[in-house]
Amino acid sequence: MDCLNWRKTKNHRVGGDEGKSSRRRRRRQDSRFYPLFIGSHGPHLLAPLSSPASVSLPMRRFSTLFVYLLLLLCSGIRIGVSSLHEFTGTYGINYGRLADNIPSPDEVVRLLKQSKIRNVRIYDSDHTVLKTFSGSGLNLVIGLNNGLVKDMSSSMDHAMHWVNDSVRAFLPGTRVRGIAIGNEILGGSDDDLSGALLGAIKNVHNALKEFRLDRQIQITTAHSQAVFSNSYPPSSCRFKENINDYMKPILDFFQEIGSPFCLNAYPFLAYMSDPENIDINYALFESTKGIRDPITELHYDNMLDAQIDAAYVALQSAGYRKMEVIVTETGWASKGDSNEVAATVSNARTYNYNLRKRLSKRKGTPMRPNSVLKAYIFALFNENQKTGPTSERNFGLFKPDGSIAYDIGFHRLKSSSNSLKDLHNQFHLGSHTTALAASSLVLLLLIGSLL
């Protein structure tokens, strides 16, 4: 039985001398409910539950209650299925793997589940990772890295093969909810790559469409602050003139398919660029007088909100008033070089702890108070093979051995034996719950058949 519906039929009586009110009363008394079951052989009507003339009023009421309970059970199952396509909550994390000492993918899945982090972004489409995430219940955004963008832009066939091999092959077990085409391409120095971005986006989207996956997998691309000419105060923010020719067609397409604007926003980097004029408490979500935008007269008590609203202003000025902004990267380094004095464990803990509290409130920004902010934290682990300054290798919430880098409410990776014990307990709890629900349903069916 796939689901349960009900069809109401009436036994019409025709009486030549019977008054209209009497006929209506008899019709109401003779109304019967016939269950319509949709099974493997198609829909078919079953016999009436019982004849109204032979059933007492309390029993008819119980029969009605029985029907409502079954309908409620069916609707509950439907709700569970439809919610699979959503960003769960407001908190996600970036799982980077430029390291030779971090936990294996199966240990990462355990760590994410024990930390109750449901939304995960990776920067490639590694098949081992995709396979490991199968059955985990975690929502995954995979990446088409910058090195593949030109290839995908030049060939629809290549896009079809990539989507088939790196996405479709792992569905539905692995919950791939999005594909990020490149990372921080616009605003960079490679004009050829910037020019190829739109073609890659369209080809991958069209490939998803061919496989009928475009309604369940979202296409995005993430931008850095380099796409803006100015972001202070937020009301002055505009896209740079030299990227408008690339940006506008992408935003037009995203508006057409319902994709958000993805922003990598780092108060850490903004503070490091101008520590003399930026209050570090403002960057860390700590108590401060904040700033007031002289044009909008909106007050900002933290820099991240101001950075997000600056993006909203740039979008609005370009004609995209309804596009959502999602933060795809934000974080704070816990260690840096001698000229990165703000990269400390204390500051990293303060930023990420306060950010977690901020997201848990499920609120928007001063400019978009009703648009709940969603953010992916950078990053899950410190990555020892990343290039650049020391800070680049020290954004992780966890150390390579699975222990916490600092305390913001998470716990170190549990051993396999502890995880198996938790799984055992969850299995028994789930089994008992399922058994109870099944027993209740059988009992209701038996009672219903007796009525």
Side-chain angles (χ1 to χ4, degrees):
M1 181 178 70
D2 296 324
C3 82
L4 180 62
N5 297 304
W6 296 91
R7 177 178 296 172
K8 186 176 181 181
T9 63
K10 291 186 177 181
N11 181 13
H12 294 283
R13 294 170 180 260
V14 180
D17 298 327
E18 199 170 28
K20 290 183 180 179
S21 62
S22 176
R23 287 199 299 271
R24 282 197 298 268
R25 186 162 55 251
R26 284 176 181 258
R27 290 191 191 109
R28 287 196 299 269
Q29 289 173 350
D30 282 352
S31 295
R32 302 181 182 185
F33 287 88
Y34 290 76
L36 176 65
F37 284 84
I38 303 175
S40 58
H41 299 290
H44 55 281
L45 286 169
L46 298 185
L49 289 178
S50 186
S51 171
S54 61
V55 180
S56 65
L57 180 61
M59 293 183 75
R60 289 204 302 272
R61 286 176 176 170
F62 188 85
S63 176
T64 302
L65 177 62
F66 162 69
V67 170
Y68 288 158
L69 286 172
L70 286 178
L71 289 173
L72 183 61
L73 182 62
C74 266
S75 65
I77 293 172
R78 287 178 177 179
I79 290 171
V81 172
S82 64
S83 65
L84 295 180
H85 303 288
E86 300 174 3
F87 184 111
T88 305
T90 58
Y91 194 91
I93 201 149
N94 287 279
Y95 168 29
R97 304 190 318 283
L98 290 178
D100 59 8
N101 58 355
I102 58 176
S104 63
D106 61 315
E107 291 175 310
V108 170
V109 168
R110 285 198 287 112
L111 179 61
L112 292 168
K113 293 179 77 171
Q114 85 175 34
S115 302
K116 295 180 171 59
I117 299 174
R118 298 289 303 278
N119 308 291
V120 187
R121 295 179 81 243
I122 60 175
Y123 293 90
D124 57 17
S125 57
D126 184 89
H127 289 192
T128 300
V129 174
L130 289 171
K131 185 176 180 180
T132 303
F133 271 69
S134 179
S136 68
L138 302 174
N139 299 323
L140 191 64
V141 175
I142 66 174
L144 177 77
N145 66 53
N146 291 4
L148 295 175
V149 167
K150 291 180 181 179
D151 184 43
M152 293 299 157
S153 178
S154 64
S155 172
M156 180 63 188
D157 285 342
H158 290 177
M160 288 287 291
H161 283 302
W162 184 84
V163 169
N164 186 60
D165 295 344
S166 297
V167 181
R168 185 167 173 256
F170 297 94
L171 300 174
T174 302
R175 292 185 180 183
V176 178
R177 296 292 177 247
I179 300 174
I181 309 297
N183 187 50
E184 298 186 349
I185 290 177
L186 300 190
S189 58
D190 191 337
D191 289 341
D192 289 339
L193 187 59
S194 296
L197 182 56
L198 177 62
I201 288 171
K202 286 188 172 181
N203 279 347
V204 172
H205 178 265
N206 288 335
L208 289 175
K209 204 168 184 179
E210 287 292 324
F211 292 120
R212 298 183 180 180
L213 297 173
D214 56 304
R215 293 185 179 273
Q216 69 184 76
I217 298 177
Q218 192 174 64
I219 297 291
T220 60
T221 187
H223 305 287
S224 71
Q225 296 281 338
V227 300
F228 305 127
S229 60
N230 182 35
S231 60
Y232 180 83
S235 60
S236 70
C237 191
R238 301 291 186 275
F239 291 116
K240 286 181 177 177
E241 290 287 341
N242 65 338
I243 68 159
N244 269 332
D245 288 344
Y246 305 122
M247 180 68 80
K248 187 167 175 50
I250 291 172
L251 294 179
D252 284 341
F253 187 65
F254 279 179
Q255 185 168 256
E256 177 186 332
I257 65 175
S259 290
F261 181 86
C262 293
L263 177 68
N264 295 343
Y266 286 93
F268 167 72
L269 297 178
Y271 173 78
M272 290 289 293
S273 68
D274 192 11
E276 297 298 323
N277 295 305
I278 297 176
D279 180 0
I280 193 168
N281 290 324
Y282 177 63
L284 293 173
F285 298 95
E286 292 285 83
S287 179
T288 177
K289 67 178 182 180
I291 68 162
R292 182 172 295 277
D293 191 305
I295 304 300
T296 62
E297 296 188 352
L298 293 173
H299 179 262
Y300 293 90
D301 59 13
N302 70 84
M303 186 184 289
L304 183 64
D305 279 1
Q307 290 179 330
I308 295 165
D309 275 357
Y312 274 123
V313 170
L315 288 168
Q316 181 175 309
S317 299
Y320 308 94
R321 293 175 176 271
K322 295 183 179 180
M323 189 169 288
E324 180 186 14
V325 174
I326 291 179
V327 176
T328 38
E329 285 184 20
T330 189
W332 198 286
S334 60
K335 185 180 179 181
D337 294 322
S338 58
N339 62 338
E340 298 177 303
V341 294
T344 66
V345 170
S346 176
N347 286 343
R349 180 199 175 278
T350 299
Y351 181 82
N352 282 296
Y353 177 78
N354 288 336
L355 174 60
R356 195 178 178 200
K357 284 201 308 181
R358 158 75 175 84
L359 293 173
S360 70
K361 294 177 181 177
R362 301 182 65 85
K363 67 175 186 178
T365 61
M367 184 171 288
R368 297 288 181 92
N370 297 321
S371 297
V372 176
L373 176 61
K374 303 167 186 174
Y376 291 88
I377 313 307
F378 188 86
L380 186 58
F381 297 110
N382 291 334
E383 298 173 72
N384 66 350
Q385 293 184 331
K386 292 194 73 173
T387 58
T390 299
S391 59
E392 282 291 321
R393 296 179 286 282
N394 290 279
F395 274 88
L397 299 183
F398 293 88
K399 296 178 181 179
D401 63 358
S403 63
I404 57 174
Y406 39 81
D407 185 10
I408 63 169
F410 295 127
H411 302 286
R412 69 167 296 128
L413 176 64
K414 295 179 181 178
S415 66
S416 299
S417 58
N418 285 338
S419 297
L420 287 173
K421 183 178 179 181
D422 290 343
L423 183 62
H424 179 75
N425 292 336
Q426 291 173 15
F427 173 78
H428 277 282
L429 178 60
S431 298
H432 292 158
T433 304
T434 304
L436 179 61
S439 300
S440 301
L441 181 58
V442 170
L443 180 60
L444 286 171
L445 288 170
L446 288 173
I447 294 173
S449 66
L450 292 175
L451 298 178

